[in-house]
Amino acid sequence: MSEAQIVHRRLVQSLYKRSLKTAQDWYIDTNLFRRKAVELRMQFDAKKNLTHPRQIAQAVQEAERQLTELRHPDPYIAVSAPGGTKFERNIHPNLDEPAVHH
């Protein structure tokens, strides 16, 4: 597999993962999300056999455009992730630096 193919594969995988995350922002109910995930997979599988570079580029560009349009205004952020409600709530003290007491 050539380097260009590897780069393209990673691009499509990233696009698919971002599509799933965006769908999860919109569909909180697990059953609805699963239906949407299957639908997304079918959309990606329908275009996986494209061989002409211009068609491939157009399909990727269209998917990126749809992803931008469907971005949720208030996306889900895991509570312990940066921006989450518990991020760095209980930070462990740095044991390498001496404590300063006033």
Side-chain angles (χ1 to χ4, degrees), residues 33-46:
F33 168 70
R34 281 301 304 151
R35 272 192 227 139
K36 184 62 178 177
V38 169
E39 183 182 311
L40 281 169
R41 183 62 191 217
M42 288 171 44
Q43 289 175 358
F44 273 79
D45 283 344

Side-chain angles (χ1 to χ4, degrees), residues 3-98:
E3 188 172 334
Q5 289 172 324
I6 292 171
V7 169
H8 175 71
R9 175 179 277 184
R10 287 187 181 158
L11 171 71
V12 173
Q13 288 172 342
S14 169
L15 182 59
Y16 179 66
K17 185 175 180 178
R18 288 183 290 143
S19 298
L20 286 176
K21 286 184 179 281
T22 300
Q24 199 169 23
D25 289 340
W26 288 102
Y27 299 96
I28 303 298
D29 181 40
T30 305
N31 292 328
L32 294 175
F33 168 70
R34 281 301 304 151
R35 272 192 227 139
K36 184 62 178 177
V38 169
E39 183 182 311
L40 281 169
R41 183 62 191 217
M42 288 171 44
Q43 289 175 358
F44 273 79
D45 283 344
K47 297 185 180 182
K48 78 177 182 180
N49 293 323
L50 293 177
T51 56
H52 194 273
R54 187 170 287 161
Q55 290 176 332
I56 293 170
Q58 186 177 11
V60 169
Q61 186 177 10
E62 176 64 21
E64 289 280 1
R65 186 191 60 74
Q66 287 178 352
L67 189 62
T68 302
E69 285 178 4
L70 295 176
R71 184 175 294 143
H72 197 281
D74 188 21
Y76 174 77
I77 300 172
V79 293
S80 58
T85 57
K86 288 186 178 181
F87 182 67
E88 293 187 345
R89 181 177 287 179
N90 296 316
I91 300 175
H92 296 289
N94 187 354
L95 299 177
D96 293 336
E97 296 178 16

